[in-house]
Amino acid sequence: MLRRISCSEFALDLTFREGANYICGDNAASNSIGKTTALLLIDFAFGGSTYATSEEIALFIGHHSIDIEFIFDGISYHFIRQFNDPSKVLQVTATGQEELSLHQYTEFLQEKYDLSSIQLSFRDIVSLYSRIWGKRNTDPMRPLSTVPNESGTKAVTRLIKLYGEYNAIGIASRKLSHLSTEAKALRSAQQYSLLPEHTKRNSDAAKKALGEVNAQIDAIAQSIAISRNSVEAAITPELLRLRNQRSEIDLKIAATNDRISTLRSNLTKCLIAQNTQRQLDEFASFFPDADIEAIREIDLFHDSINGILSENIENEINRLNDNLHELRAIQRQIDEKFASIVDSPPALIGEVNDLANLIAEKERYSQIIKLHEESSRIKKGIKESKDAETSEYQIATQTVSLAINQEIEKIASNVLPASIAPHLELMRKTYSFKMDADSGTGKAYAACIIFDLAVLNQTALPFVIHDSICLKNIDIKTLNNIIDQHKNIHEKQVFVAIDEIQRLGNRQRAFIESRAAISLSKTSPLFGDFWKKA
């Protein structure tokens, strides 16, 4: 339990005990004396962050450290949280200080409060029930909502988890999430053409085509006098690899032949260009005044260039012919390996090659059919999981509603004996909190407090915090009854800020005074002279 909060900079020391703990205001119900801030300090000790966001504290008080002490199983644990660096916590031990992250700190608290089996974080468990002005969770008509616009699903699910009724829902939800991920992966793979389309129409077409392919495989198998199963078994990965190599070699041979043909054509042009003597003689007969020698010199230069080109072209043709010879040798080797694998003569290689292509088609059609079956399985699983999740939510909401309403009626019979007990109705995505038709603000807040106390009594929730805003509109008789309920709380804690206790009955006032962690007033505010400056 939380034992102590202190701040040496301001001589602040709050000591707590099991059961009820009160932050008392004065009889004038004075504001701005630190009641809400004291509760935010308690929330801060339990890992909250609202206290460290206060602009007023930052402006008038500035940086300061808060010392926190918990008692678990008789052992004292000391921590320090700093206002200006709330994301870190110092654990004080006999040997020094160890820095923890805020997450590590709240995990420590969750473990020590024996809350690890609940499928919520420590703050998810306790934050809602710390109803402090400024935390936006003080609407009495929405007691399950941590913030005004929180989704109903989140609020309802949190309560179901706190009551330990989420396991079956969680199984269905995890299965649904897994199947949804599979469905998304299939859609993405199809979108990026990594997998073929596998609609029902495509699947039906693939089944029809698969029948035709199997018939062709049977026909080839018969032509080479072996069974279809044996043929299919013969189409090993090695055979498919050889077929692919053969196709690559065929392409290279064709490309080499094309290159040789082009080079031979260019060589012919060069040789024709070199044979110009007769053309020059004919040219001189028509143009006797032309400088034939100069033209001849130019032509000799061109002949020299053409000669070099011709030599290079011939060399390239010879090199390509050598390559062609090597490629054909490789082609023969592949054909021999191909024939040895299928144990067939070379004449049947073409048929086996066709068979390999048919096997590839068969695999593609089979993949389409299998993908459609897988997609159908996933769709069916998603529907079943959604139905199961809906069903389990219905069971859980009914179970939790029944349990909590029974406890609410029990408490309400003592707190609001003349009124109809508040009634919580849980649905999967929303909830309602109904109360007596003539309820005003005071009864609405009383109903919210009753709800919190019911949850505190029935679950592992370790504490609740109620600010004075939750109490100030409640009539005296009802408030006396609420204080009496506080007396019944053991092994857990309640932290309450309350004003004007002189209005209460003698028994209730005496109880509050005996359990006051601090009494505040205009002359004695939370942080003494520092607070007065604010």
Side-chain angles (χ1 to χ4, degrees):
M1 71 168 191
L2 178 62
R3 176 61 180 164
R4 183 179 57 86
I5 296 176
S6 62
C7 182
S8 59
E9 289 92 332
F10 313 114
L12 172 68
D13 198 341
L14 303 177
T15 302
F16 308 104
R17 63 186 77 190
E18 286 185 355
N21 298 269
Y22 297 97
I23 307 297
C24 296
D26 56 24
N27 290 331
S30 299
N31 294 320
S32 300
I33 58 177
K35 298 188 300 295
T36 294
T37 303
L39 296 183
L40 288 176
L41 265 173
I42 295 170
D43 182 61
F44 192 62
F46 284 113
S49 59
T50 307
Y51 175 79
T53 64
S54 171
E55 295 180 0
E56 186 179 37
I57 293 175
L59 179 62
F60 291 101
I61 298 177
H63 169 60
H64 56 284
S65 299
I66 303 298
D67 298 321
I68 305 163
E69 180 187 1
F70 286 93
I71 302 290
F72 295 110
D73 297 324
I75 301 173
S76 176
Y77 297 87
H78 292 261
F79 301 91
I80 298 173
R81 286 194 75 185
Q82 297 177 335
F83 178 80
N84 69 331
D85 192 7
S87 64
K88 298 176 183 177
V89 182
L90 297 176
Q91 182 172 8
V92 182
T93 64
T95 58
Q97 295 181 350
E98 179 184 356
E99 185 178 288
L100 306 177
S101 68
L102 182 57
H103 177 69
Q104 289 174 316
Y105 176 64
T106 54
E107 278 194 331
F108 166 85
L109 294 177
Q110 185 157 10
E111 178 186 350
K112 292 301 180 181
Y113 276 112
D114 196 22
L115 302 172
S116 299
S117 63
I118 297 175
Q119 300 177 50
L120 294 166
S121 70
F122 181 75
R123 289 303 301 173
D124 279 338
I125 293 170
V126 305
S127 184
L128 172 65
Y129 304 94
S130 301
R131 301 193 190 274
I132 309 170
W133 177 253
K135 281 175 57 63
R136 305 175 68 200
N137 63 344
T138 55
D139 182 354
M141 306 300 294
R142 304 291 296 170
L144 271 64
S145 302
T146 55
V147 292
N149 295 323
E150 184 175 49
S151 74
T153 299
K154 185 174 182 180
V156 171
T157 299
R158 181 172 51 241
L159 186 63
I160 290 173
K161 288 181 177 180
L162 185 55
Y163 270 78
E165 297 292 336
Y166 187 77
N167 286 341
I169 297 172
I171 292 171
S173 295
R174 287 190 294 274
K175 184 175 181 180
L176 177 60
S177 177
H178 177 73
L179 290 169
S180 297
T181 300
E182 285 189 72
K184 183 178 179 181
L186 276 178
R187 288 194 299 271
S188 297
Q190 184 175 326
Q191 179 182 355
Y192 292 101
S193 301
L194 300 177
L195 291 175
E197 290 189 19
H198 45 270
T199 62
K200 185 178 186 305
R201 177 182 294 180
N202 287 344
S203 177
D204 291 343
K207 289 178 181 178
K208 181 178 178 181
L210 187 60
E212 296 174 355
V213 166
N214 283 331
Q216 293 178 58
I217 289 174
D218 285 336
I220 292 177
Q222 291 175 4
S223 72
I224 57 178
I226 58 176
S227 71
R228 188 182 77 189
N229 290 336
S230 299
V231 172
E232 292 187 27
I235 309 304
T236 62
E238 174 65 13
L239 191 61
L240 294 175
R241 186 183 66 81
L242 289 172
R243 187 198 64 180
N244 292 336
Q245 284 185 351
R246 179 64 151 75
S247 297
E248 290 177 6
I249 292 298
D250 289 345
L251 290 174
K252 288 181 180 180
I253 289 174
T256 302
N257 281 326
D258 288 344
R259 178 63 176 159
I260 290 173
S261 296
T262 301
L263 289 173
R264 282 176 174 166
S265 177
N266 291 337
L267 179 62
T268 300
K269 292 177 182 178
C270 288
L271 293 175
I272 291 173
Q274 285 180 280
N275 187 21
T276 60
Q277 178 59 45
R278 188 174 61 83
Q279 296 172 355
L280 286 175
D281 292 341
E282 293 177 353
F283 180 79
S285 65
F286 286 102
F287 301 98
D289 296 330
D291 190 350
I292 298 302
E293 290 304 318
I295 294 174
R296 196 182 303 278
E297 289 179 6
I298 294 172
D299 194 57
L300 288 173
F301 173 75
H302 288 164
D303 284 349
S304 176
I305 296 298
N306 284 331
I308 294 172
L309 288 174
S310 298
E311 183 179 355
N312 289 338
I313 290 172
E314 288 176 352
N315 291 338
E316 180 66 10
I317 290 173
N318 292 334
R319 187 188 67 80
L320 290 174
N321 279 324
D322 291 340
N323 286 349
L324 194 61
H325 178 75
E326 293 175 1
L327 290 171
R328 285 173 175 160
I330 294 173
Q331 189 182 55
R332 287 191 298 273
Q333 292 174 1
I334 292 173
D335 289 346
E336 289 171 0
K337 289 181 180 179
F338 209 114
S340 66
I341 291 175
V342 299
D343 195 24
S344 301
L348 296 179
I349 290 177
E351 286 188 296
V352 175
N353 207 16
D354 291 341
L355 182 61
N357 291 329
L358 289 171
I359 296 297
E361 284 189 46
K362 178 179 179 179
E363 290 176 355
R364 183 168 64 85
Y365 293 138
S366 298
Q367 183 186 37
I368 292 172
I369 296 168
K370 184 178 179 181
L371 286 172
H372 176 67
E373 292 173 349
E374 184 71 4
S375 180
S376 299
R377 178 192 67 80
I378 292 172
K379 288 179 181 178
K380 181 181 178 182
I382 287 175
K383 183 181 183 304
E384 291 175 347
S385 297
K386 284 182 177 179
D387 291 343
E389 187 183 47
T390 299
S391 176
E392 294 300 341
Y393 257 110
Q394 186 175 9
I395 294 171
T397 54
Q398 290 175 350
T399 300
V400 174
S401 294
L402 178 62
I404 197 168
N405 283 323
Q406 288 175 343
E407 187 67 17
I408 286 174
E409 288 178 7
K410 178 181 175 181
I411 297 172
S413 66
N414 295 309
V415 175
L416 298 169
S419 301
I420 298 174
H423 183 83
L424 178 68
E425 184 177 358
L426 299 177
M427 291 150 277
R428 177 175 178 178
K429 296 183 178 180
T430 187
Y431 69 93
S432 66
F433 190 56
K434 301 175 182 178
M435 56 198 70
D436 204 337
D438 65 350
S439 294
T441 303
K443 282 190 177 179
Y445 275 109
C448 184
I449 290 172
I450 290 170
F451 166 79
D452 287 353
L453 295 179
V455 175
L456 185 69
N457 290 345
Q458 289 189 317
T459 71
L461 180 69
F463 65 89
V464 296
I465 301 176
H466 291 144
D467 204 347
S468 58
I469 190 176
C470 300
L471 308 176
K472 63 174 51 181
N473 291 304
I474 298 176
D475 66 87
I476 298 303
K477 182 179 179 181
T478 301
L479 190 54
N480 279 329
N481 293 337
I482 290 174
I483 301 304
D484 287 340
Q485 289 298 308
H486 291 168
K487 296 178 183 179
N488 300 326
I489 296 170
H490 306 287
E491 299 181 353
K492 294 188 178 185
Q493 290 179 296
V494 176
F495 305 94
V496 180
I498 189 167
D499 289 311
E500 302 177 285
I501 66 171
Q502 86 285 352
R503 300 181 303 154
L504 302 175
N506 292 334
R507 186 179 70 251
Q508 290 81 11
R509 185 169 65 250
F511 179 73
I512 291 172
E513 289 173 345
S514 70
R515 288 179 167 268
I518 192 170
S519 294
L520 304 172
S521 65
K522 280 291 186 183
T523 58
S524 181
L526 183 66
F527 286 131
D529 291 338
F530 289 90
W531 197 253
K532 292 176 186 177
K533 294 177 183 178

